Amino acid sequence: MTSLARSHPPIHRPQLPDGVRIYAISDIHGCSHLLQPMLRVIDADLAHSRPRYAIEVFMGDYVDRGPDTRATLDLLVERSRRGNSIFLKGNHEAFLVRVFEDPSLFEDWLRIGGAQTLMSYGLAPPDLKRDDPASIMRDLIRAMPGEHLEFLDELRLSFTCGDFFFVHAGVRPGVPLAEQSESDLLWIREEFLQSEEQFGKYIVHGHTPVRTAEMLANRVNIDTGAYATGNLTLMSIQGSRMLAV
């Protein structure tokens, strides 16, 4: 699902605390070749401007669809060792973990890009007429480094800083942010995307691809469909200034 970009910046501009800068990236989808240059952009910006406190927020959907889930998780695990990164869960990570537990969902996973994840760990594309899904998933677990499995297990659902609320998919209108369900945080689309409600915080999200970053009065969408478009968006936020590159 891809929507056309819109830009209606917030009238009352949300703010981060003084001295805090946030870098946000969403929906990498196995595109390690796009993630690496964005990490270099962050590092160059940090070296040049030296904010008092920098936070990197990765907003889910690291796996599936793109060419190299394994290398993507390697980069993110390495990034986690720096101590200033937040890693949120996307619906694709949640679904992969469900398939580990319930291989009857295997064909559904393949339809959303699971074969690319298998191949990135050196496993052959599955033959559904011959291969047993439970056996394939056991092979995948054996092929995945323990630190990748730990990474998937430790993902957060949301992150709040100042006037901003970071989440993979969005939030359900009319429900306080503290009471949102995991399903909505990871999967919601139209009810959230069509809402003009002010949610109590300014929502930074991905999940629904747009051609360019979409900044509206109550939310900003930074999923630009990296695996299909070759465009991975990085958003920098400091004070009330938001810049997408």
Side-chain angles (χ1 to χ4, degrees):
M1 176 179 180
T2 302
S3 65
L4 297 177
R6 295 172 287 166
S7 183
H8 306 289
I11 297 172
H12 304 290
R13 304 188 66 161
Q15 295 255 1
L16 286 178
D18 289 345
V20 174
R21 181 179 302 161
I22 288 182
Y23 300 94
I25 296 176
S26 191
D27 295 83
I28 301 164
H29 276 303
C31 294
S32 59
H33 62 293
L34 301 178
L35 176 60
Q36 283 181 306
M38 284 304 181
L39 297 179
R40 289 195 291 268
V41 168
I42 293 173
D43 290 340
D45 192 48
L46 290 172
H48 173 72
S49 59
R50 298 187 179 277
R52 191 184 318 158
Y53 190 60
I55 306 170
E56 298 170 14
V57 184
F58 299 90
M59 294 160 46
D61 279 10
Y62 316 110
V63 306
D64 300 341
R65 289 185 168 153
D68 208 336
T69 286
R70 178 170 188 152
T72 298
L73 293 190
D74 280 339
L75 287 170
L76 296 175
V77 167
E78 179 63 30
R79 205 73 181 178
S80 73
R81 299 188 177 117
R82 297 164 57 131
N84 68 326
S85 297
I86 304 292
F87 300 96
L88 304 185
K89 184 188 296 186
N91 60 298
H92 280 256
E93 288 77 47
F95 201 81
L96 174 56
V97 171
R98 284 186 64 198
V99 182
F100 285 148
E101 299 167 351
D102 181 3
S104 72
L105 299 170
F106 183 74
E107 290 188 46
D108 294 329
W109 180 53
L110 294 184
R111 282 191 283 271
I112 61 169
Q116 290 88 337
T117 294
L118 290 171
M119 290 186 286
S120 79
Y121 286 96
L123 302 180
D127 180 345
L128 295 177
K129 295 180 180 179
R130 181 195 65 202
D131 299 326
D132 172 47
S135 177
I136 295 172
M137 297 312 293
R138 287 194 295 269
D139 289 344
L140 178 58
I141 290 172
R142 283 192 290 267
M144 294 180 75
E147 57 192 5
H148 288 196
L149 295 169
E150 291 173 11
F151 177 86
L152 294 174
D153 189 52
E154 293 171 359
L155 298 174
R156 297 171 53 165
L157 290 175
S158 65
F159 172 67
T160 301
C161 187
D163 295 330
F164 293 87
F165 183 88
F166 298 83
V167 65
H168 176 65
V171 299
R172 182 162 296 278
V175 178
L177 295 180
E179 299 174 17
Q180 295 284 328
S181 72
E182 176 169 342
S183 176
D184 284 333
L185 295 173
L186 301 186
W187 294 91
I188 198 168
R189 287 197 197 271
E190 291 307 320
E191 301 96 325
F192 167 65
L193 299 174
Q194 298 303 320
S195 177
E196 297 182 357
E197 177 179 323
Q198 297 298 313
F199 300 108
K201 299 282 185 181
Y202 189 75
I203 310 299
V204 184
H205 69 97
H207 184 57
T208 301
V210 288
R211 294 187 179 181
T212 59
E214 179 183 70
M215 189 178 300
L216 302 177
N218 56 357
R219 63 178 180 86
V220 59
N221 181 0
I222 61 170
D223 174 12
T224 46
Y227 75 95
T229 66
N231 179 23
L232 180 66
T233 291
L234 166 66
M235 172 157 277
S236 172
I237 308 172
Q238 185 160 5
S240 61
R241 176 176 173 268
M242 293 182 277
L243 175 66
V245 295

